[in-house]
Each structure stands twice: as C-alpha cells, then as structure tokens.
Amino acid sequence: MLKHRKQGDALVVCLEGELDHHCAQIVRQEMDRLIEEERPQRLIVDMQGVSFMDSSGIGVLIGRYRTLSRCGGRMAVCNMSPHVERIFQLSGLQRIIEKVR
Amino acid sequence: MVSKNSMRLEFLGCAQNESFARVVISAFAVQLGPTIEEITDVKTAVSEAVTNAIVHGYEGTQGMVVLSACVEDEHVLSVTIEDAGKGIADVEKAMEPFYTTQPEMERSGMGFSVMQTFMDTLEVTSVPGEGTRVRMTKRFGADA
Ligand SMILES: Nc1ncnc2c1ncn2[C@@H]1O[C@H](COP(=O)(O)OP(=O)(O)O)[C@@H](O)[C@H]1O
Ligand SMILES: [Mg+2]
C-alpha cells in the first residue's frame, strides 16, 4: 500500500523503494486506485523514498500525468534525489510536470 | 600475462531478476573503486538493458538473459547484456529518444538514451529472430 495524505486540494502520494519495471506494475495500479477514489485536483508525487529509478519510472509518471490531465487535474513531484532528477530531466518531464518542495 | 577479471551470469528473464542484475553488477564493479554516482549510473544502464531483454526481447515469455562484465583496465568496466529473443529490425530507429514499440505498456522510449547518457560507450548489435547484444563501457574516475 502506498502512503498518502491530503494536503488542501492536493493528494500527496509517497513512492518507496526501487521504481523499475518490476515494481512499476504495482505502483501504477495503486496510484490509479488512489486517483480513482480521491479524484484529486492536484497530485503531488513525493519521491523521497525512491532509492532507485530507471526509465520505467518515467513511464509511470507520464502515465499518471495523462490520467490526471484527462480529468482536468494537475501533477507535481517533490523530493527527487539527484539520480532521479537526472532521469526526470533527460526525459524532458520538467516541461510538463511541476517540481515543488 | 595476468588475465583481466571477468564474470558471466545467466538468469531467467523474469521481472524479479531486474534488481538481481543490478545487485550483481554493483558488486562486480566495486573492485574499480567507483563513486556512488558511478555505481548508480552503471546499475541504471544495466537495468535498462535487462528490462529490454525481458519486455521486448522475450516479450514476457521468459528466455535466458546473459549478463557479463570485464575489467578492461584499472579504470574501465565493460558490461554486456544478451538475449536470444526476437531482435531489433532497425537498431538506429530503436535508439532514438522516445521511440518505443510498447506505448500501451507505458514504456517511455528512453531506455537507450539513459544507457547512452550514463555510460561512455554503447554498442547494440541485433539480428531479427536471433537476439540482441548490448555492450557498454564506463571509465571510472573520469570527473576526478
Ligand atoms: N532486447 C531487445 N529486443 C528486442 N527489441 C528491443 C530490445 N531492446 C530494445 N528494443 C526495441 O527498442 C525500443 C526502444 O527501447 P528503449 O529505448 O529501451 O525504450 P522502451 O523500452 O521504453 O520501449 C523498444 O521499444 C523495442 O522495440
Ligand atoms: Mg527500455
């Protein structure tokens, strides 16, 4: 189960562990279930607990960004490690997903 | 002449083994005295290539993946990931950023770009119907 909390009109979801292709499947399901239940205006993905990420993580973020955009919601990320941020930048995600603290 | 240290490992191409491959390459690379960042770069590149073998090469049918590595000299590591899967018809196209044949699986098409960015060299050889071989090298201590 993903840790999450409400923060004003935002839903904060905390990702943990290694975000590779193997783990992406379950993370994707859990995030979609939360989005479905909470229907947030704004989703903030907290990457603090992510110890490893490869391009599968980018797929997860873009996928959730699309889901949210379809219902008029917005998405942001916070607490990326330098490693995660490098992959984020390489994929150009900073152009569509806001970085917050 | 003293032979160069090397390793070769064959494992089943199932998703659990993606993290296993990362642990193995990190453990082998330690002898080159890398920084944490350098180890993370190598782990990330290996993770990409192994994931590709599993999801594209075998398309989930779980064939065997071979991971091998060699200490080329005291600063350079080479890593090779091979599968006997379906192969790539147009390697140049496959390596373009954002190109993916599995958009519905939420693949980002950034795997080869990550490998290219995090390693110093990347060579992809592939024969359709026979398999794919990805060879990468990295020099440690390059920014020191
Ligand atoms: N080992 C492989 N066997 C067959 N096809 C591959 C292999 N590796 C990569 N490909 C092809 O190259 C494309 C690009 O790979 P990559 O950059 O890692 O993006 P992604 O994995 O997100 O699709 C894949 O969509 C696939 O068509
Ligand atoms: Mg890939």
Side-chain angles (χ1 to χ4, degrees), chain B residues 36-81:
Chain B
I36 304 272
E37 288 74 30
E38 288 167 338
I39 282 277
T40 305
D41 289 355
V42 172
K43 268 169 73 172
T44 311
V46 166
S47 193
E48 294 293 352
V50 168
T51 301
N52 279 353
I54 295 170
V55 305
H56 302 298
Y58 295 120
E59 296 179 300
T61 59
Q62 303 198 341
M64 299 304 284
V65 179
V66 177
L67 168 67
S68 46
C70 182
V71 178
E72 298 293 338
D73 69 37
E74 62 180 313
H75 304 294
V76 178
L77 177 75
S78 69
V79 188
T80 306
I81 295 92

Side-chain angles (χ1 to χ4, degrees), chain B residues 52-53 56-57 83 87-88 94 99-101 107-112 132:
Chain B
N52 279 353
H56 302 298
D83 67 65
I88 307 172
Y99 177 83
T100 180
T101 45
R107 306 298 318 154
S108 62
M110 289 303 291
F112 282 125
T132 301

